[in-house]
């Protein structure tokens, strides 16, 4: 892909979207840690200084991509909850249904989970105050959206809904590090299967944790 110099706001926005799309495609092939500004520049057809005209750093690109991915997930989640959760079910059954949907939805979004996991340790570094503040404002908006969505199906959560939403994102961010064991660990599991008895698939682990957290946060009576 090659570009002529962007001269209008519309052309600049097209350029920004192209950079984000290229970064998204890279994340389908590699983890966050492997994404470099040099490779991103090559794929989008721009010199690195020109990419930096639109995003101040690699981390700024990935923060915006995280927000975009989170918006897409919340839109999808709203549809999945509406289709699968009967609001007339008893509270524990609704909680289990919500946990099932959250775990299935998030475990299918490996890139989003990887971005979650890198947020505080990587993505919020090497960015300006302006960029990180803009991201945090957007992140709080997404947290509010998720909280409102959960309260529709589990109003009993009350003020715990925000904390549960945040905990869900933090737990999802930890999954990529454990979902694919390195070759040496896989070999150890194969040689001694008993070593793998506590190894769970990401969806199973998320479902277990989210169900326990939800049932613990809901009122007893």
């Amino acid at each position: 892909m090659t570009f002529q110099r962007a001269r209008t706001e519309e052309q600049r926005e097209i350029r920004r979207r192209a950079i984000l799309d290229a970064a998204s495609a890279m994340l389908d092939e590699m983890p966050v840690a492997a994404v470099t500004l040099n490779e991103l520049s090559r794929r989008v057809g721009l010199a690195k200084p020109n990419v930096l005209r639109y995003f101040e750093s690699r981390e700024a690109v990935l923060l915006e991509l995280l927000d975009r991915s989170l918006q897409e997930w919340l839109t999808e989640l709203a549809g999945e909850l509406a289709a699968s959760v009967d609001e007339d079910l008893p509270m524990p059954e609704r909680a289990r249904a919500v946990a099932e949907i959250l775990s299935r939805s998030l475990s299918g979004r490996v890139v989003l989970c990887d971005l979650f996991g890198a947020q505080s340790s990587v993505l919020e570094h090497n960015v300006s105050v302006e960029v990180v503040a803009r991201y945090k404002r957007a992140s709080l908006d997404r947290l509010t959206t998720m909280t409102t969505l959960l309260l529709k199906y589990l109003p009993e959560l009350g003020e715990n809904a925000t904390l549960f939403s945040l905990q869900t994102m933090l737990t999802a961010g930890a999954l990529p590090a454990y979902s694919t064991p390195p070759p040496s660990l896989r070999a150890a599991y194969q040689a001694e299967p008993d070593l793998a008895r506590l190894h769970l698939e990401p969806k199973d682990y998320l479902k277990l944790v989210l169900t326990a957290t939800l049932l613990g946060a809901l009122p007893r009576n």
Side-chain angles (χ1 to χ4, degrees):
M1 184 182 299
T2 57
F3 294 96
Q4 295 181 345
R5 183 174 180 179
R7 300 183 183 277
T8 67
E9 188 58 39
E10 181 182 7
Q11 290 172 335
R12 284 189 285 272
E13 182 57 29
I14 290 172
R15 191 73 55 84
R16 282 176 57 84
R17 287 201 302 270
I19 293 169
L20 288 170
D21 289 345
S24 179
M26 290 176 69
L27 287 172
D28 287 335
E29 304 170 14
M30 62 188 75
V32 168
V35 175
T36 67
L37 198 57
N38 284 336
E39 178 62 13
L40 177 59
S41 301
R42 186 191 70 78
R43 292 195 183 204
V44 83
L46 290 171
K48 185 163 73 171
N50 288 333
V51 171
L52 295 173
R53 292 175 183 269
Y54 299 92
F55 295 94
E56 63 184 37
S57 63
R58 174 191 82 112
E59 291 75 15
V61 175
L62 295 174
L63 273 182
E64 188 154 334
L65 193 58
L66 171 54
D67 184 54
R68 187 171 82 171
S69 299
L70 185 53
Q71 289 183 71
E72 292 171 353
W73 174 63
L74 288 171
T75 298
E76 178 184 282
L77 180 64
E80 292 178 349
L81 289 170
S84 303
V85 181
D86 183 348
E87 297 177 52
D88 295 326
L89 286 172
M91 181 178 66
E93 292 183 39
R94 278 183 279 120
R96 291 186 177 89
V98 168
E100 164 69 26
I101 292 165
L102 285 171
S103 60
R104 182 177 66 240
S105 181
L106 280 169
S107 62
R109 287 181 172 264
V110 178
V111 170
L112 177 60
C113 292
D114 196 16
L115 288 166
F116 273 148
Q119 177 183 312
S120 61
S121 61
V122 177
L123 303 187
E124 292 176 354
H125 299 258
N126 195 31
V127 288
S128 64
V129 172
E130 178 186 0
V131 165
V132 78
R134 183 170 64 244
Y135 169 73
K136 283 299 186 183
R137 285 192 293 270
S139 183
L140 288 172
D141 286 343
R142 311 304 168 230
L143 186 62
T144 298
T145 298
M146 184 174 177
T147 299
T148 302
L149 188 56
L150 290 175
L151 284 171
K152 179 180 179 182
Y153 299 97
L154 287 169
E156 297 89 349
L157 275 174
E159 62 185 17
N160 288 328
T162 299
L163 183 58
F164 175 74
S165 297
L166 181 59
Q167 181 64 40
T168 298
M169 295 178 185
L170 292 174
T171 304
L175 285 183
Y178 299 98
S179 59
T180 306
S184 58
L185 186 54
R186 290 200 299 272
Y189 286 163
Q190 186 173 7
E192 296 184 55
D194 189 56
L195 296 176
R197 68 182 185 277
L198 295 180
H199 177 74
L200 296 174
E201 292 300 317
K203 179 181 177 297
D204 297 331
Y205 173 77
L206 260 181
K207 182 179 178 181
L208 182 66
V209 170
L210 297 182
T211 300
T213 304
L214 263 182
L215 292 176
L218 288 165
R220 293 291 185 271
N221 298 322

